[in-house]
Amino acid sequence: MIWNEKAECMSENDKETLQLERLQMAVKRAYESVPYYKKRFDELGVKPEDIKTLKDIEKLPFTTKDDLRDAYPFGMFAVPRKEIVEVHTSSGTTGKPTVSGYTRGDLEIWGEVMARGLCMFGVTDDDIIQNTHGYGLFTGGFGVHYGAQKMGATVIPISTGQTKRQIEIMQDFGTSVMIFTPSYGLYLAEEIEEEGIDTKTIGLKAIGFGAEMWTEEMRQEIQKRFNAPAYNIYGLTEVIGPGVGLECGERDGLHISEDHFYPEIIDSETHDVLPDGEKGELVLTTLTREGTPLIRFRTKDVTKLTRGKCGCGRTLVKMDRVTGRTDDMMKIRGVSVFPSQIEKALLRIDEVEPHYQIIVTRPHLMDEVEVQVEASESLFSDEIKELVGIREKIEDYIHSEIGLRVKVTLVEPKTLPRSEGKAVRVIDKREL
Amino acid sequence: MKVKQLSIFLENRKGRMRKALDVLEKGDVNIRALSIADTSDFGILRLIVPEPDKTKKLLEDNNFIVKIGEVIAVRMQDQPGGLGKILGILDDNDINLEYLYAFVEEKENGAIVLLHPEDIDGGIKALQNGGAEVIPAKDIYGL
């Protein structure tokens, strides 16, 4: 099923024509209505009229999270505040949060792109969606909610937490679709099994997950535990929220709704635009946003783009699932390390539950990494030398994955913090 | 003749052992014998208790990882050379010992050593042939 065949299966020509037309309008609107953009364009000596082809987008300046912070709270609004009907913000853990303002039209777009995704997951208006994403300033909850409403499915806006209640409702209401972050999904599966309920009897049809990074092994684990296919959701508050990119039945990449968002991949050091197929930082331009239009927003998410007709029939460009963030990336003794690499190594040891935490310190000028891994019944042995052997095996696997020696510590089960939202995988204690 | 022993995974961290002991206290479990093997970041707590299977479940319900293994209990004289004699038997029979721990028995004026050889059946046979007093499991649980 395709939600909006006209938009999702456009020919490359039609798509480019539409994108150029919308880009020109978006740039003009940004320049004329947002003082920040006028200043940046003028500094670079570019005018909206300079956009004659899609490639001309490269003449425009980038927008960063810092720029949005400087405009806090309403400096990026392109319409009078009166026309903004909803606001969302980023978490603000690294400073002032960034504010995204939505007009009625923006909410319409949000629901539309998210409904396209739910349709890709095989969801229909007959489904019951249990949405465990948080409702609030965080966009996760509302994005899924608007998509589900647009489609006409039944939404249970349960939000995050209250795990016992989640399980009860899954059973009593006959939930057919779950939306969760991968780490919360694993936690939920664990709790369900603890209660002696067979997850397969819940009869899920599909799982949608996003909001944090995961590995293919983690997806397999979740699919196995719930006996249902899991689909990736990508989005970010600054751009619109969840719904920017969504996975179809092929499950090998996320379709970006290119009629609303224009993606580019850049080298985050040189800022050069990279060709399709090359990995780099995703940069997004909103083509239709009215409240807070963004020109070339640097997402810091690492991915690559693939074009061509997909097996599902859509022609929308596909992005790989995000394998790292340019700022989540740890530089350990000068080597780039992503938490996902450590996770991959851990999953090579069958017995290890995928609960772990990475602690980075710098005791004497040299970076040290400790990976705390929860021990499980099957890997525990009465022999010290066997336990040491398992620990060394994990260390070796991590070494072959990232090229660095780390210290692995086995910790008691259920002692690492379980997330009810995003997992805290890395604790960086270095003063960088 | 084999005595069931509980092995519990513990992080080498303040308060961890106490937590395990608290669980046993609440479950009214009296420890017959105990030993700890430790490394810099984790340890194994080994216990002999009257009802090993029930105690294992109790600990697991409290999120501990527990394994049941087997050891041999041997009575020895509580005097210099007592332990050496027993180890001598195993040595003479070429049986490797993984670990041992011992405690003094008040009532009998003797001492008991708990042995964990690589080959447990061979160990029992050798000890019995060598004249050592191997104590039946029920006697240890009921001490």
Side-chain angles (χ1 to χ4, degrees):
Chain A
M1 263 289 285
I2 295 174
W3 178 255
N4 184 341
E5 209 169 319
K6 189 165 166 278
E8 295 175 73
C9 306
M10 267 185 286
S11 71
E12 285 301 317
N13 263 339
D14 289 353
K15 192 160 73 185
E16 280 172 26
T17 309
L18 179 74
Q19 283 181 318
L20 179 60
E21 191 182 297
R22 287 185 169 177
L23 178 67
Q24 286 168 332
M25 266 161 52
V27 170
K28 190 164 183 286
R29 192 162 56 231
Y31 183 79
E32 287 170 0
S33 318
V34 184
Y36 162 81
Y37 280 118
K38 181 170 192 316
K39 184 166 163 272
R40 294 296 306 279
F41 281 35
D42 289 348
E43 277 165 11
L44 284 172
V46 282
K47 290 265 176 287
E49 302 81 67
D50 294 338
I51 305 297
K52 294 191 173 69
T53 66
L54 282 174
K55 191 144 177 62
D56 288 333
I57 196 170
E58 292 174 26
K59 295 175 182 164
L60 301 176
F62 292 108
T63 309
T64 65
K65 211 172 160 92
D66 283 335
D67 296 328
L68 302 186
R69 270 194 201 112
D70 292 343
Y72 179 88
F74 298 159
M76 295 301 280
F77 286 2
V79 296
R81 207 269 310 141
K82 195 170 169 296
E83 285 175 41
I84 299 290
V85 295
E86 188 167 319
V87 286
H88 286 278
T89 75
S90 62
S91 59
T93 39
T94 47
K96 278 273 187 206
T98 60
V99 180
S100 190
Y102 300 73
T103 63
R104 281 190 199 287
D106 290 335
L107 292 185
E108 187 58 35
I109 294 163
W110 200 7
E112 160 71 19
V113 293
M114 197 59 223
R116 289 180 190 176
L118 291 173
C119 197
M120 291 179 208
F121 306 171
V123 177
T124 70
D125 58 2
D126 200 25
D127 278 300
I128 300 179
I129 304 176
Q130 187 162 332
N131 185 13
T132 79
H133 280 341
Y135 282 71
L137 284 172
F138 169 61
T139 44
F142 280 99
V144 171
H145 190 89
Y146 291 140
Q149 300 255 295
K150 176 108 186 163
M151 169 171 272
T154 307
V155 199
I156 309 170
I158 190 161
S159 210
T160 314
Q162 308 182 71
T163 304
K164 292 242 178 300
R165 187 120 189 264
Q166 299 270 8
I167 297 168
E168 196 177 275
I169 284 183
M170 278 174 89
Q171 294 181 292
D172 296 348
F173 291 15
T175 300
S176 57
V177 179
M178 284 297 290
I179 307 289
F180 49 54
T181 61
S183 62
Y184 187 55
L186 281 173
Y187 174 71
L188 204 55
E190 211 171 71
E191 292 295 304
I192 290 172
E193 279 157 27
E194 194 128 291
E195 289 196 10
I197 302 160
D198 183 1
T199 46
K200 291 181 181 70
T201 62
I202 293 167
L204 287 186
K205 176 178 175 184
I207 293 163
F209 59 45
E212 69 182 9
M213 262 181 281
W214 49 275
T215 58
E216 192 51 44
E217 287 87 349
M218 218 162 160
R219 158 146 62 191
Q220 298 296 345
E221 182 71 23
I222 284 173
Q223 293 187 146
K224 196 177 85 198
R225 293 228 182 160
F226 286 99
N227 196 32
Y231 302 88
N232 206 358
I233 302 172
Y234 175 77
L236 57 173
T237 303
E238 291 82 0
V239 174
I240 200 157
V244 174
L246 294 136
E247 220 167 21
C248 64
E250 305 288 309
R251 273 178 283 166
D252 69 344
L254 298 90
H255 288 288
I256 297 176
S257 279
E258 287 174 282
D259 48 337
H260 296 293
F261 314 108
Y262 184 82
E264 296 169 90
I265 298 291
I266 63 161
D267 179 316
S268 55
E269 305 278 323
T270 64
H271 299 176
D272 290 338
V273 175
L274 302 175
D276 289 343
E278 274 190 42
K279 240 181 183 181
E281 181 181 341
L282 177 68
V283 170
L284 290 165
T285 298
T286 62
L287 297 177
T288 49
R289 277 296 296 275
E290 297 168 342
T292 37
L294 288 184
I295 305 294
R296 305 192 87 196
F297 180 68
R298 293 188 57 178
T299 66
K300 296 193 173 178
D301 286 325
V302 177
T303 183
K304 68 174 174 7
L305 299 176
T306 314
R307 262 170 238 280
K309 192 171 172 180
C310 177
C312 70
R314 292 174 183 83
T315 53
L316 296 175
V317 72
K318 281 202 282 195
M319 63 181 266
D320 263 17
R321 72 185 169 77
V322 175
T323 47
R325 292 205 16 108
T326 56
D327 61 352
D328 192 10
M329 184 178 80
M330 298 174 280
K331 279 266 185 187
I332 313 282
R333 287 175 234 157
V335 178
S336 305
V337 176
F338 289 108
S340 56
Q341 292 176 289
I342 303 237
E343 188 157 335
K344 200 169 158 201
L346 287 179
L347 283 155
R348 283 180 62 191
I349 313 255
D350 288 347
E351 302 93 340
V352 176
E353 294 275 350
H355 285 293
Y356 69 96
Q357 198 158 50
I358 303 163
I359 295 155
V360 191
T361 53
R362 183 173 283 174
H364 328 279
L365 302 170
M366 274 281 271
D367 295 334
E368 296 289 355
V369 181
E370 184 190 348
V371 180
Q372 295 188 337
V373 182
E374 278 189 8
S376 63
E377 162 104 51
S378 56
L379 72 63
F380 174 52
S381 156
D382 177 43
E383 306 286 356
I384 291 278
K385 63 172 185 280
E386 271 187 46
L387 276 178
V388 170
I390 287 163
R391 197 182 62 192
E392 279 167 1
K393 195 157 98 181
I394 300 174
E395 286 177 354
D396 287 344
Y397 283 167
I398 294 176
H399 181 240
S400 69
E401 192 67 38
I402 66 174
L404 290 173
R405 301 279 345 163
V406 305
K407 176 184 172 5
V408 167
T409 311
L410 296 174
V411 300
E412 287 173 35
K414 308 200 175 176
T415 51
L416 292 181
R418 290 294 193 279
S419 67
E420 298 224 330
K422 294 195 184 198
V424 181
R425 295 301 198 194
V426 182
I427 295 176
D428 197 332
K429 293 179 176 167
R430 293 175 296 181
E431 298 201 354
L432 299 174
Chain B
M1 295 312 244
K2 294 172 209 166
V3 178
K4 282 189 177 177
Q5 169 192 260
L6 299 186
S7 302
I8 301 149
F9 178 80
L10 287 182
E11 270 176 74
N12 197 348
R13 194 151 60 80
K14 199 177 148 206
R16 297 312 300 162
M17 176 150 166
R18 180 166 181 190
K19 203 188 153 226
L21 296 179
D22 280 349
V23 170
L24 296 177
E25 189 191 339
K26 284 205 188 86
D28 207 18
V29 177
N30 203 359
I31 300 166
R32 310 317 324 163
L34 159 160
S35 107
I36 282 198
D38 75 312
T39 69
S40 59
D41 53 12
F42 65 84
I44 300 171
L45 171 63
R46 299 186 177 115
L47 298 175
I48 306 292
V49 294
E51 294 176 278
D53 295 297
K54 210 174 124 193
T55 309
K56 176 176 192 270
K57 171 130 199 341
L58 173 71
L59 286 161
E60 282 175 342
D61 287 346
N62 285 279
N63 292 331
F64 285 94
I65 302 180
V66 186
K67 279 234 159 105
I68 290 191
E70 288 167 334
V71 290
I72 309 169
V74 177
R75 180 165 286 126
M76 58 188 176
Q77 285 178 309
D78 189 8
Q79 64 184 56
L83 180 58
K85 216 164 124 191
I86 296 193
L87 297 186
I89 298 171
L90 293 176
D91 200 13
D92 291 343
N93 287 277
D94 214 17
I95 289 170
N96 274 325
L97 199 58
E98 304 267 27
Y99 57 83
L100 66 80
Y101 52 108
F103 59 99
V104 175
E105 196 185 0
E106 280 173 45
K107 290 177 225 160
E108 302 281 343
N109 221 359
I112 291 171
V113 62
L114 296 162
L115 303 158
H116 189 274
E118 272 176 2
D119 174 4
I120 198 144
D121 293 311
I124 291 176
K125 220 169 122 194
L127 288 161
Q128 282 173 331
N129 290 341
E133 190 192 344
V134 179
I135 312 170
K138 64 173 172 30
D139 291 0
I140 295 293
Y141 300 149
L143 274 177

